[in-house]
Amino acid sequence: DSQSFENESCINPNKVLSSHFVLNDGNRMPRIGFGTAGLGENTENSVDIALNVGFRHIDTAQALEWYRESAVGLALSNHIEKGNLNRSDVFITTKLHPRDFDGASTLKQVNKSLSNLKTDYIDLLLLHYHSCWSGLHCPGVPGTWMDAWEVLSELQKQGKIKSLGVSNFSIDQLQEMLMYVKENNLPLPSVLQIWVDPFYQSIEIRKFCQDNGIVVVSYSTLGGQHFYR
């Protein structure tokens, strides 16, 4: 259940919303997405159904703790092979695991995502978290988000990634990032993906993103996070 928010603090109920956002890099992203976290062995069938009923934005990630990227790729390729869709019809978001933030692993994992998803480009690649934490399997000493961002910016220039963004960053972490990318002439994040639902509205960070041209994409919009906290 992935949902993009209009860059305004309140939604006008009388306003007709567009079907897409134009990101700060000029790319278009469908407003409504289908999230695949926790679907496990049901991922391929669920994505197949989602595409059949009209979803054109599919969200996945490299983290096997919650996602099955390869199953998303199978569902998408089946629709393309049958002539139901062209690759350009579907916006694919995936996420880089923090254990792969060092340069060599970043490059390896992006290429692995391209193979899993059976595509030659990723529409939106997010840093899944700012850094490793206790709930993630991060063996060894991973690199930093800064190491990863530099590699991802080069892959964006090569056309393997269309847009870059982050997930689960705080305001302080976003401020740090904006300062770093501006000082080093690197691409700005176009998207922040965070938990937002009617009872957890994340108003302060949404306002920060609005002020800085970053589109907020929510996960667990129906309140699923409350079951785990």
Side-chain angles (χ1 to χ4, degrees):
D1 53 337
S2 180
Q3 165 77 50
S4 306
F5 277 91
E6 187 73 18
N7 274 348
E8 53 189 28
S9 57
C10 296
I11 299 295
N12 180 347
N14 297 315
K15 182 178 180 179
V16 177
L17 300 178
S18 64
S19 62
H20 289 71
F21 284 104
V22 178
L23 304 179
N24 60 23
D25 56 16
N27 293 320
R28 285 163 49 88
M29 179 182 72
R31 180 180 294 273
I32 304 295
F34 182 78
T36 61
L39 293 177
E41 63 183 17
N42 297 312
T43 300
E44 183 180 352
N45 185 56
S46 298
V47 173
D48 177 64
I49 293 170
L51 293 171
N52 278 331
V53 300
F55 281 95
R56 293 297 179 263
H57 180 176
I58 306 297
D59 181 281
T60 183
Q62 297 170 358
L64 290 174
E65 293 94 327
W66 305 292
Y67 293 89
R68 297 294 182 269
E69 239 183 13
S70 58
V72 172
L74 285 172
L76 177 60
S77 65
N78 286 339
H79 276 262
I80 293 173
E81 289 170 4
K82 292 176 181 177
N84 298 335
L85 294 169
N86 296 315
R87 170 64 184 89
S88 58
D89 294 330
V90 183
F91 188 99
I92 299 294
T93 296
T94 192
K95 309 175 194 74
L96 180 69
H97 198 292
R99 64 173 167 251
D100 297 310
F101 278 1
D102 67 280
S105 292
T106 299
L107 178 60
K108 177 181 177 181
Q109 290 305 313
V110 171
N111 285 327
K112 185 176 180 180
S113 285
L114 290 168
S115 176
N116 285 341
L117 294 166
K118 300 183 182 300
T119 183
D120 57 4
Y121 69 92
I122 294 165
D123 294 281
L124 174 62
L125 194 141
L126 307 177
L127 302 182
H128 205 154
Y129 291 91
H130 177 271
S131 53
C132 282
W133 51 280
S134 60
L136 295 176
H137 178 60
C138 293
V141 181
T144 67
W145 69 261
M146 292 169 277
D147 299 325
W149 201 255
E150 292 186 10
V151 173
L152 296 176
S153 68
E154 289 301 314
L155 292 172
Q156 186 182 39
K157 291 176 184 177
Q158 296 170 21
K160 291 186 176 182
I161 301 168
K162 300 297 184 183
S163 296
L164 293 171
V166 297
S167 178
N168 300 304
F169 273 47
S170 67
I171 289 179
D172 288 344
Q173 291 165 347
L174 283 174
Q175 289 173 327
E176 173 194 40
M177 182 176 209
L178 293 179
M179 183 178 300
Y180 179 82
V181 299
K182 289 174 182 177
E183 289 176 350
N184 291 277
N185 197 30
L186 295 170
L188 294 167
S190 58
V191 164
L192 169 69
Q193 187 177 116
I194 52 171
W195 170 24
V196 181
D197 68 35
F199 301 103
Y200 191 86
Q201 297 186 22
S202 304
I203 292 173
E204 185 179 2
I205 196 167
R206 285 169 55 198
K207 179 63 166 59
F208 177 88
C209 288
Q210 174 189 344
D211 293 342
N212 287 277
I214 300 169
V215 171
V216 172
V217 174
S218 79
Y219 60 77
S220 295
T221 50
L222 300 180
Q225 286 293 307
H226 294 287
F227 291 103
Y228 303 105
R229 296 173 186 261

